[in-house]
Amino acid sequence: RKEVEQDPGPFNVPEGATVAFNCTYSNSASQSFFWYRQDCRKEPKLLMSVYSSGNEDGRFTAQLNRASQYISLLIRDSKLSDSATYLCVVIDKLSFGAGTTVTVRA
Amino acid sequence: GAVVSQHPSRVICKSGTSVKIECRSLDFQATTMFWYRQFPKQSLMLMATSNEGSKATYEQGVEKDKFLINHASLTLSTLTVTSAHPEDSSFYICSASRGLVNTEAFFGQGTRLTVV
């Protein structure tokens, strides 16, 4: 089993829609989780940390489910600029998920 | 925020030659740096963990004699692709973190290697 697994998508959503996707991790002792965004041919950029209590940053909501060992990212009111690949990161040795591609269409 | 600088950003080399990629943490000391490789439309794949003052830890399937990693100081790690072949053409990216608990990772800009 891979350390971190994501639904690769792609998720094609209309502007204004809500999109959500998960990332599962195998190490129950993992402590820190992040969502990164990667645009084509660029380095990943931190989108947000994922806290145990769940956290929200504008249109983005991240949640952690330790019992089922997954984290989630929800994007509300999608914008064209949200089109990217979203990578989940589990901090054991900075393991990355394969990324979820989101394409927002006009 | 912290800055990690990677150089060069793009390199084209002939098959059989070696290429060195540098990764520097500009405003913090990084005892650990990570090297990744990313093929088109795929995720970042961890190649090795670079530890200052000791040997790097390589992931399964990564040839340590081909991908030489040196972490001589707390701010510099280098990756040398030796005897490069066209199949080594990829996007190589480094990352550094102040720690491994509740600290984000900072990425270099990446190096696009093309072996012809």
Side-chain angles (χ1 to χ4, degrees), chain A residues 51-63:
Chain A
Y51 303 129
S52 297
S53 56
N55 49 302
E56 191 173 306
D57 183 1
R59 298 180 293 107
F60 297 84
T61 301
Q63 291 193 314

Side-chain angles (χ1 to χ4, degrees), chain B residues 12-75:
Chain B
I12 300 173
C13 71
K14 290 185 177 180
S15 187
T17 62
S18 295
V19 174
K20 179 185 283 189
I21 303 169
E22 292 187 350
C23 180
R24 294 180 184 272
S25 57
L26 298 184
D27 59 356
F28 69 102
Q29 293 184 329
T31 54
T32 304
M33 290 186 177
F34 303 88
W35 287 96
Y36 299 86
R37 180 169 53 183
Q38 186 175 37
F39 293 106
K41 298 187 179 181
Q42 295 186 27
S43 183
L44 293 162
M45 297 300 297
L46 180 65
M47 298 175 67
T49 303
S50 170
N51 303 296
E52 187 269 335
S54 65
K55 291 182 179 179
T57 303
Y58 289 82
E59 294 300 300
Q60 192 173 10
V62 179
E63 299 174 57
K64 62 180 181 181
D65 294 328
K66 180 170 182 61
F67 299 99
L68 301 178
I69 291 174
N70 184 282
H71 195 152
S73 75
L74 286 171
T75 59

Side-chain angles (χ1 to χ4, degrees), chain A residues 5-102:
Chain A
E5 293 198 67
Q6 282 184 253
D7 182 342
F11 289 80
N12 294 303
V13 299
E15 238 180 327
T18 296
V19 60
F21 40 88
N22 296 337
C23 169
T24 59
Y25 60 95
S26 61
N27 184 358
S28 60
S30 298
Q31 294 294 318
S32 305
F33 310 88
F34 300 89
W35 281 105
Y36 279 73
R37 169 191 170 133
Q38 186 178 26
D39 295 296
C40 189
R41 293 174 175 262
K42 298 283 183 64
E43 75 274 21
K45 302 274 191 192
L46 178 66
L47 179 66
M48 60 195 304
S49 305
V50 184
Y51 303 129
S52 297
S53 56
N55 49 302
E56 191 173 306
D57 183 1
R59 298 180 293 107
F60 297 84
T61 301
Q63 291 193 314
L64 167 63
N65 185 316
R66 284 197 182 275
S68 300
Q69 293 183 209
Y70 73 86
I71 62 174
S72 64
L73 181 67
L74 182 146
I75 307 173
R76 286 184 301 277
D77 187 24
S78 299
K79 301 187 183 306
L80 295 176
S81 57
D82 294 332
S83 298
T85 297
Y86 293 84
L87 303 165
C88 68
V89 177
V90 178
I91 303 293
D92 293 327
K93 49 182 178 180
L94 292 181
S95 300
F96 282 82
T100 298
T101 300
V102 174

